[in-house]
Amino acid sequence: MTLEKSGLPICQGLSLGELVGRLNMGIPNREIVWIAEKCLGRDDLTWAHLAEEIPTAKQAAEFVETLNRRQSGEPLQYCLGTWQFRSLELCVDPSVLIPRPETELLVDISVATLRECINRYGVCLSADSPGEPERRVRVLDLGTGSGAIALAIAWEFRLTRDLLSVLGVDLSQPAIKVAERNYNFLVEQCPEFGSVVRFLQGSWYDSLGIRDEASFDLIVSNPPYISIQDYLELDPQVRDFEPELALVAGQEGTECLEQVIYGAQRWLKPGGTLACEIGERQGPQVLAMARSVGLERVGIRKDLAGRDRYLVGSRPRSSES
Ligand SMILES: C[S@@+](CC[C@H](N)C(=O)[O-])C[C@H]1O[C@@H](n2cnc3c(N)ncnc32)[C@H](O)[C@@H]1O
């Protein structure tokens, strides 16, 4: 059989290893094994197995096509269609940013904040005594993309039914669809997870209603924070494949952070916390923004490499501020 699309004559009956040999690509072995696992629907392959595995014609076609996509620079995560974020396996496609490891730290900050908040309220809900909806701890994830942050936070509290309510917002309707798909997969695995997370399409706070005012215990966001100039100089693997809407934030790179920070006072509960991922050189600017809108206990946290990457601040408890 000839696979016209790949431009490579491929005979049926060849093993995956033989196909790789004919294609002669510079893709790392580990990635080839992951791609083979995806095409065969397996999770137990090693490099050595490829010599023995004879794919069906359909699997061979998918394998060659996926290797070609990877060879042309498409990120591995899009080629595989899923990627790991904390303990979650999330679907990703070119309509969403690939979740990054540094964003896992933003989830750590969020989870620690929520635990403190739960202790402070003395809310001690269990599966046997679910909370009233209005007593749920409310989280807003702005620019939710694949739903990575919203879902990872909710997953941390999955065993305590009805403790949390998480709302993810994104301007991109295709991104909202990916987030919902990820949520539905998780609900299949863990039915307790149902009715905890909701996704809404809209720009930042615009889709919220009057009843949402002063209602969130935590607003978390990993907004776009790259300036137009830095975007032009980005690694082509990022710039040419990941959505521009997820990356670029005006001339300074702080336009989206500005929107998120300036709106926070109105939508946070008194005492509620804002936590944002930021670019490593944006600390002084975002601190000034957060202070100018009256947030208190404002600070910058570092990532594992010691870079300034997260803004944290709280709405004062007294409503006069
Ligand atoms: C850096 S990505 C973060 C995605 C995801 N939260 C994560 O951490 O992997 C930023 C997200 O903000 C969204 N976005 C851009 N402009 C927006 C706006 N005006 N309102 C809401 N979301 C927006 C993008 O579509 C994108 O999904």
Side-chain angles (χ1 to χ4, degrees), residues 127-148:
D128 301 326
S129 59
E132 298 299 318
E134 64 272 19
R135 288 195 63 206
R136 287 187 184 194
V137 174
R138 291 199 82 197
V139 179
L140 175 63
D141 172 21
L142 291 176
T144 196
S146 62

Side-chain angles (χ1 to χ4, degrees), residues 97 99 103 141 143-145 148-149 169-172 202-204 222-224 245-246:
L97 187 94
T103 305
D141 172 21
T144 196
I149 297 173
V169 171
D170 206 288
L171 187 60
S172 154
S203 183
W204 308 128
N222 174 19
L245 181 68

Side-chain angles (χ1 to χ4, degrees), residues 85 90 95-100 103-104 106-107 141-150 169-173 175-176 200-206 220-225 243-248 256 259-260 277:
F85 182 73
L90 298 175
S95 66
V96 296
L97 187 94
I98 297 162
R100 306 293 205 268
T103 305
E104 296 188 0
L106 183 63
V107 174
D141 172 21
L142 291 176
T144 196
S146 62
I149 297 173
V169 171
D170 206 288
L171 187 60
S172 154
Q173 186 59 37
I176 291 291
L200 264 185
Q201 192 264 333
S203 183
W204 308 128
Y205 301 97
D206 289 357
V220 59
S221 184
N222 174 19
Y225 52 75
E244 189 176 336
L245 181 68
L247 295 164
V248 184
C256 296
Q259 307 247 12
V260 169
E277 188 168 314

Side-chain angles (χ1 to χ4, degrees), residues 34-35 38 62 66 69 74-84 89-94 96 98 178 181-182 185:
W34 284 332
I35 290 170
K38 179 210 167 210
E62 189 187 341
T66 312
R69 282 167 56 198
E74 185 167 342
L76 174 70
Q77 294 87 341
Y78 292 149
C79 293
L80 294 174
T82 60
W83 198 240
Q84 190 91 15
E89 179 90 1
L90 298 175
C91 296
V92 289
D93 71 22
V96 296
I98 297 162
V178 173
R181 196 159 90 223
N182 280 321
F185 279 136

